[in-house]
Amino acid sequence: MIEVAVLHEEGWPGVDWDYLAQRAVAAAIAHSPYAAFASDEALYEIAVKLTSDEEVHSLNRAYRDKDKPTNVLSFPMVQDDLLEVTANTDDGEVLLGDIVLAEGVCIAEAAEKGISVADHATHLIVHGTFHLLGYDHMDDNEAEAMEALEIAALLSMGLSDPYGDRDGV
């Protein structure tokens, strides 16, 4: 079973963020090798925080040594190589990690792409969920594999390929 806790600060557009985050996380997990998490007896928990650029800037500086805000940060709480055995917990709960989105960056990127903030945030939550599941984009092969999963998850929700604009680049 999957549970998503949303911490929502003021300033974000009026959207049902709980529903959006739950749907995005569920789609990402369904399109991963960990699809069974959705029906396991164990409770898999993810926290999604919608916060300010300033807070994300501070986190990005502290944890990634990058002195600027970014659109999304993910903080996995389970090592990649231990994800498959997480259902064997003592208390039946697995904290997969936290996903943090920056309001101003997300809004600006959505406007630049000509899409709604909700659609862009959905993509960022899907992206963040894949990071919590051990995916990364440090090299081209990893990036292509992760992007393919993101695209499949988003298409399953009726959203378009967020990477489609790279064809001419």
Side-chain angles (χ1 to χ4, degrees):
M1 184 174 12
I2 302 165
E3 182 175 295
V4 180
V6 177
L7 306 166
H8 172 240
E9 293 185 1
E10 286 188 37
W12 284 79
V15 171
D16 185 346
W17 292 107
D18 291 324
Y19 174 75
L20 183 146
Q22 180 68 43
R23 189 170 173 244
V25 167
I29 290 174
H31 287 85
S32 80
Y34 306 103
F37 286 4
S39 58
D40 276 355
E41 286 190 29
L43 178 64
Y44 296 88
E45 298 177 66
I46 292 177
V48 175
K49 185 169 188 180
L50 306 169
T51 191
S52 67
D53 288 5
E54 293 77 22
E55 182 172 352
V56 173
H57 183 163
S58 177
L59 291 168
N60 205 21
R61 183 175 46 241
Y63 292 98
R64 297 179 66 226
D65 203 26
K66 296 188 183 229
D67 195 17
K68 62 180 183 176
T70 188
N71 53 13
V72 61
L73 292 171
S74 298
F75 298 96
M77 293 189 190
V78 178
Q79 291 176 211
D80 309 0
D81 58 343
L82 297 177
L83 280 167
E84 291 182 19
V85 296
T86 54
N88 300 322
T89 68
D90 292 336
D91 63 1
E93 294 182 8
V94 179
L95 302 175
L96 290 176
D98 300 332
I99 301 168
V100 184
L101 277 68
E103 175 195 0
V105 175
C106 186
I107 290 170
E109 288 177 349
E112 182 179 299
K113 293 174 179 279
I115 62 173
S116 72
V117 174
D119 286 355
H120 188 50
T122 298
H123 172 223
L124 295 176
I125 294 168
V126 165
H127 181 88
T129 302
F130 280 115
H131 277 305
L132 299 184
L133 297 175
Y135 288 88
D136 214 331
H137 43 82
M138 298 305 286
D139 66 42
D140 288 345
N141 290 335
E142 288 178 347
E144 286 177 24
M146 186 171 170
E147 288 172 9
L149 291 170
E150 289 176 43
I151 291 164
L154 292 166
L155 290 175
S156 76
M157 293 184 287
L159 298 177
S160 61
D161 173 358
Y163 302 108
D165 62 352
R166 291 192 197 174
D167 292 346
V169 179

